[in-house]
Amino acid sequence: MSTHFHFTLHKTEGCARLSTFQTPHGAIQMPAFAPVGTLANVKTLEPRDLHEAGCELLLSNTYHLYLRPGHRLVEQFGGLHRFMGWSGPILTDSGGFQVFSLAHKRKLDEDGVTFRSHIDGSRHRFTPESVMEIEQALGPDIAMVLDECADPLNHAYIVQALDRTHRWAERCKKAHTRVDQALFGIVQGGIFPELRLESARFLTELDFTGYAVGGLAVGETKEEMYSTLDVTCPALPVNKPRYLMGVGAPEDIVEAVYRGIDMFDCVLPTRIARNGALLTPDGRLNIRNAQHAEDPRPVQADCACYTCRNFSRAYLRHLYKAEEITGLRLGTIHNVHFMLELMRQIRAAIAEDRFAEFRTVFLARYQISNQEVRHQQRERFLANQRA
Ligand SMILES: [Zn+2]
């Protein structure tokens, strides 16, 4: 690990880990959650809102920034931190997931992947080398290798995709030269234990600064996701951060921390906020429901966020019903705060050796939302894979 990055494992309770990851733009207390700012912006929020919520890591999407406004423009403005006015740590994904789930007319070969932009249909190509060039120009603290995100349940396909993903990881490692940027490898292998172990072994030998578990939360069941983590986490180096990509449902975060994951990102809290779904310790609350029309209480009585300190459910419902932008913003502030507060509670529980108890109490109270959403997610993912 270069002098720009330092991972300190303070304490464990079972598989759960309390740690700090030091980056050039500050320390990240882990387990950590990163809100997603797809286009160098967390929708409806400003950097000062994120600082106020205690956010220590932001995720931005390489695929989206490459298409718009372009990585060279961001570089010209001093990189992502200066371009978007965020002084804390940033992570960018490799764009692989978007190419395989969002872009059109993908054509995959050994060297890379050619695709058409979902915005204007223009033709583009990503290779491990070009993605490293893009991420180094964007300048986040943490960059991810280019990988292929395949259907996690398709064994025959994953077997051949995995070898290519490993060769791409090697090429990314070679092409990556910025010492003030950490490069993380991504373990793939679907829901198949032997493939996950093979992937973890291969990538560990390449000696990345951190490791992600990719290719999950794309439609497998929760049980399949958890058992994949049970297999994968023990196969990863103890002295490096572990990142579960794209997972952000509160119950999944608690279960993944329990299995040894240190960091998370997800659009879920911000996306559902804009639909009027607000997170509480009891589960999601739909602020548009008629039952809130005359309710003077805040969304969550013991929440310290700006929204809960100042506004009633009745007022928020009114804003959502009237389609006022302020409603979306206040809802997003609350959901981001909820996630970061959840991580603070998780860290405190591990520090005090009561995370197992915290998990039991949290999961007993938190009402898990319908898995229907997961099935739809899978249908969409597969439809795009075929397209
Ligand atoms: Zn709140």
Side-chain angles (χ1 to χ4, degrees), residues 299-300 303-308 334 337:
V299 171
Q300 183 187 335
C303 178
C305 86
Y306 174 71
T307 304
C308 292
H334 169 78
H337 189 278

Side-chain angles (χ1 to χ4, degrees), residues 239-257:
N239 59 348
K240 298 193 172 174
R242 303 168 182 170
Y243 164 33
L244 179 55
M245 301 183 79
V247 169
E251 71 276 15
D252 290 340
I253 286 184
V254 171
E255 290 289 19
V257 167

